[in-house]
Every structure is written in structure tokens, then in C-alpha cells.
Amino acid sequence: MKIVFLYNESEVEGKGNIDLFSIQRKLKKLNHEIVIIVRKDSSNNHQDNVHAILPSPMKAFFILPLIIIKLSTIIKKENPDVIVVEGGWYIPLLISMANITKRKPIIFVFRGLVLETLVAFHAKSFLIKTVARLFIKINHAIYKKSKFLIGTNPSLCKFYEEKLRKKVTLIGTHSIDFEIFKPLDAISSKQIREQYGIDKNKISILYSGAIEEWHISYLVDLIDNVVQLDKEGHMVQIIIMGWGSCRDKLLNLIKKKIENGVKKDVILAMPWLEHQIVPKIIASCDICVDPFLRPHPMNYAPAGKLMEYMACGKCIITTKGYSNEELVTDKKSGFIVDGTKTNLYLTLKNILIDKDNIKGMGQIARETIVKLYSSTNKIEDFEEYLKKASMTNHPTKKITDKK
């Protein structure tokens, strides 16, 4: 089959798109032809099968006609058997208009609740909230008419089934490569730590993820707690590995803390790293902190970073929420905190007192995600669903056809 993926994600692998590029590689191994349409984020991407045509989300809301023309042209040229589309943002309306004459089968994938999140608490602008509410209504109307709806974790399926009053099939698309995201042996871990300045004598606490406005207060709390623990005599270091519009703001805050007496070697901010080194950094650290506080409705979305941490065999700290608790068992494979600075501090302190437990919890995390992955993220299940969808416009086509 030829499959087109349309996601409002970065064309740079590693920026919140594990469920796009990892699934693409596995489908290619099954001899399917994959075309990806994503957001323009880098001028260095020269992959023939990647069309980076989408602008930033806020800009896109207001230039939809131009994007529809571009997308329609690509669909006509590629002539796919099926189109896999992110359920969110303006994407459902975009594909509905661009596909109006082609009538290719469309699968909507629910992988997050960005519009709902904007309405709930992220967007400060009244205009942005109003536009988000409008597109929620438009999208729901489109979903109700769709034949093919899938959710990438149980909580998202439940959320949309209650909203739409129709079946949403659970098919996990967070196709983690366990040969890439895996624990490292002691020698390899030591080499990575030395190479990237991670103190071999300290317990390393890693934050890896986006650095946007709504992350700053959480990150500052995390840094302050690590600094306090250092002052109390604990051998600890925080590693910041991420990017976003507020990275410079965070670096300036860190700089001021150091100028005010915080030890420089307690806070390590990583430069931009190529995607292939990221799993090795994760596996070399001791404790990994979930990038998000997850208030409603973000607590329904699948926690891709947690999956990566667990696959690398790391002890995890995360917040309470539907999707997190589908993965992490408190005090067994990780720690679930309430999101307050005090609770985060006490959790970190308890971990540092019982250092021997860190590695054991990481081993349980690895075993847990491998088991969960096996039951909810089988590429064969997704492939069968793709075949079923492609058959809607080709009733005489054999379902066993790979291309």
C-alpha cells in the first residue's frame, strides 16, 4: 500500500513525533510506501518522502485555503491507498477539503487534545481560545461522519467515545524501537557521562522535552529542589535536555541562579543534540522527570516521553493522570507526584535516601513497557486496520496485498 501521513508535527525527528517516524520505519520494513506531510521546521531536511508544507499552527488557522491547494496537489500526485491524519488542530478540516474530489479513505488518529488544552488553560488570547473552540466543533462534526477512528491509548479512546458516542478503536502507534531505546551497560554509560559532562559521582536527574511558557514554572521548581538537595549534602545534578520558544528564558534564569551563588556543576543544560544520541543520554542518567504537569485535558494524552524513559530502564517521576497511570505504578516502576513543589522535593529526597532502589525500579519500568507495548502497539494490528480502510474504495482488492 501507499500510505500518506498528515501530522501537525515537526519534520525533525525527536520533537514529539515518536508515533510518526517510528511507525513509518516499521511500515516500510513491511514493504509499504510511506509519504509524510508535516510542519516546516528545518531547511536541512532532504528526504524525498517528506513534504514539510505546514506552517506554524496559529498562522495556519488563517491561511487554510493556500494549504488546501498544496495538500490537494500532493494527494493527486501521490495517489495513496489510505491517508492517516492527526485528529486535532485544523487538520481534519484541511484534509476534508483537500480530499473532497479524491475521496481517499481517511483514518483519524487521536494522539492528543491540543485544542481542548488551549481552551482549558494554555491560551492567554481570547481570539486563540475562540478559534480553538470553533475548530473543536468542526472537528467533532467531521469525526462523527468518519468510518475510521483510532486512539493511541485507552484514555483517549474513552474520551472521544464519550464525546462522539461512537466506537474509537485502540491501536497504539507509539512504536518504540527497543534496540534504540534500551538500558546501557556500565562502561557505555560511563563513556556517555564523561563525553557530555554528566557527573559520574552524582545522581543525575534528567528533564528531556519541550521548553515552552507553560513548562517554565515546573522546571524552576525542579531546579530549585535539586539545588536545595545539593545544599543539604546530597550528591545530585539536574540535566536539562530540550528545546522550545522559552529555552533562552530558562537559560537566563539558570544564569541568574549561578550568579547568585548556585554551584555551576549542579545544573547542566545540554546543547541541541542529534536524535540518535538522545536515547543514550536518557539511558546514562539515573532518574527521568516527565516533561509535563498533566492537568485535564492533557492527562488523557499518551505519554510518549514516559515510554522512552521506561524503555531505557529509568526510574521515573511523573504526575497523576489517566495516561500516566496506564504506564506507571507508583513506588514500583516510578513515582507519581501531585505536581506541587513540596511533594516533588520530598519525592526526590526519599529517592536519594534509598539510592539502591533507583536501578531496581528502572528494571521494572523496562519490563513493564515491553509487556504493555506487546499488547497495545503491535505494528501488525495497525497494518491490518490500514488494509481494512484502504478496501473501502477498492472492494475487489485482496486484503492480503502489501502494495
Side-chain angles (χ1 to χ4, degrees):
M1 289 186 293
K2 176 179 277 192
I3 307 157
V4 166
F5 282 83
L6 173 60
Y7 277 29
N8 183 42
E9 286 294 347
S10 169
E11 63 181 306
V12 179
E13 184 172 0
K15 284 190 171 183
N17 47 31
I18 179 178
D19 55 333
L20 174 57
F21 287 98
S22 59
I23 206 80
Q24 170 225 2
R25 281 194 292 271
K26 294 204 171 186
L27 286 170
K28 284 181 72 175
K29 287 181 180 179
L30 295 172
N31 298 320
H32 299 292
E33 186 177 350
I34 309 300
V35 177
I36 294 176
I37 304 172
V38 284
R39 192 174 68 240
K40 182 69 176 173
D41 200 27
S42 170
S43 59
N44 299 320
N45 195 321
H46 301 295
Q47 298 181 61
D48 292 336
N49 69 323
V50 176
H51 298 272
I53 67 168
L54 303 181
S56 63
M58 296 309 152
K59 181 180 179 182
F61 282 128
F62 304 103
I63 59 169
L64 267 175
L66 295 177
I67 312 173
I68 289 169
I69 293 171
K70 286 184 179 181
L71 180 58
S72 181
T73 302
I74 293 172
I75 293 173
K76 182 178 180 179
K77 177 184 175 183
E78 299 292 349
N79 191 30
D81 295 293
V82 63
I83 304 173
V84 180
V85 179
E86 173 181 7
W89 293 106
Y90 59 95
I91 303 298
L93 178 61
L94 172 63
I95 191 62
S96 297
M97 298 302 292
N99 189 47
I100 198 165
T101 58
K102 320 304 184 296
R103 302 186 67 80
K104 299 294 181 180
I106 298 171
I107 298 173
F108 289 105
V109 181
F110 300 133
R111 54 192 293 273
L113 294 165
V114 285
L115 293 176
E116 289 82 356
T117 300
L118 285 173
V119 171
F121 62 96
H122 278 348
K124 297 178 181 178
S125 165
F126 173 77
L127 176 60
I128 291 175
K129 285 193 174 186
T130 301
V131 172
R133 287 192 182 97
L134 173 62
F135 273 90
I136 287 173
K137 291 183 178 181
I138 292 172
N139 290 350
H140 283 195
I142 293 171
Y143 301 149
K144 286 179 179 179
K145 294 180 180 179
S146 175
K147 296 179 181 179
F148 303 105
L149 303 174
I150 67 174
T152 59
N153 69 330
S155 53
L156 268 184
C157 290
K158 181 180 179 182
F159 178 90
Y160 275 107
E161 284 177 346
E162 290 177 352
K163 294 288 183 182
L164 304 175
R165 299 190 182 280
K166 63 185 300 186
K167 175 67 176 176
V168 177
T169 304
L170 172 62
I171 298 180
T173 58
H174 285 73
S175 186
I176 297 174
D177 189 332
F178 289 112
E179 291 304 310
I180 296 176
F181 288 91
K182 63 181 181 180
L184 289 181
D185 59 72
I187 294 175
S188 299
S189 179
K190 181 181 178 182
Q191 290 173 343
I192 291 293
R193 289 176 80 118
E194 289 176 350
Q195 182 178 353
Y196 289 94
I198 303 171
D199 196 315
K200 63 181 180 180
N201 298 315
K202 294 184 176 183
I203 297 296
S204 51
I205 300 171
L206 175 69
Y207 172 93
S208 172
I211 304 176
E212 301 294 344
E213 185 64 40
W214 52 89
H215 301 113
I216 292 295
S217 61
Y218 185 35
L219 276 168
V220 171
D221 285 348
L222 177 59
I223 291 168
D224 286 346
N225 281 330
V226 172
V227 169
Q228 179 60 35
L229 290 165
D230 173 74
K231 289 179 180 178
E232 294 172 6
H234 295 280
M235 296 294 287
V236 64
Q237 182 182 40
I238 181 167
I239 318 299
I240 307 293
M241 183 171 66
W243 219 258
S245 62
C246 288
R247 177 178 166 83
D248 288 342
K249 180 178 179 178
L250 179 64
L251 292 178
N252 287 333
L253 289 170
I254 293 172
K255 182 180 178 181
K256 288 180 181 178
K257 288 180 181 295
I258 292 172
E259 289 173 350
N260 291 330
V262 172
K263 293 179 188 175
K264 190 174 182 180
D265 61 352
V266 175
I267 309 171
L268 175 62
M270 291 284 187
W272 172 256
L273 299 171
E274 294 297 327
H275 179 60
Q276 59 265 29
I277 193 61
V278 170
K280 295 179 181 179
I281 298 290
I282 294 173
S284 298
C285 291
D286 300 299
I287 300 167
C288 292
V289 180
D290 183 11
F292 295 105
L293 281 170
R294 295 180 180 269
H296 177 83
M298 290 183 70
N299 56 353
Y300 281 89
K305 284 292 179 186
L306 289 188
M307 295 177 186
E308 294 175 350
Y309 295 160
M310 294 175 78
C312 289
K314 296 295 101 180
C315 174
I316 297 164
I317 298 176
T318 187
T319 47
K320 188 177 180 67
Y322 295 105
S323 59
N324 296 4
E325 291 174 290
E326 289 168 357
L327 298 172
V328 179
T329 302
D330 190 31
K331 298 181 179 63
K332 185 176 180 181
S333 56
F335 294 89
I336 296 177
V337 298
D338 64 12
T340 64
K341 185 174 183 178
T342 300
N343 188 232
L344 181 60
Y345 163 78
L346 291 173
T347 300
L348 286 170
K349 187 169 184 175
N350 288 335
I351 295 172
L352 295 174
I353 290 172
D354 189 13
K355 295 177 185 177
D356 293 339
N357 200 28
I358 294 174
K359 192 170 183 180
M361 295 184 82
Q363 290 173 344
I364 294 173
R366 167 78 179 184
E367 293 166 1
T368 300
I369 196 62
V370 169
K371 183 178 180 180
L372 287 174
Y373 170 87
S374 299
S375 61
T376 62
N377 283 274
K378 293 179 181 177
I379 188 64
E380 294 81 7
D381 290 345
F382 189 41
E383 183 189 36
E384 283 303 311
Y385 198 87
L386 289 167
K387 290 177 182 177
K388 177 183 175 183
S390 70
M391 290 284 290
T392 56
N393 286 0
H394 302 281
T396 60
K397 185 178 177 181
K398 292 182 180 179
I399 196 166
T400 55
D401 288 350
K402 287 275 181 89
K403 281 190 176 182

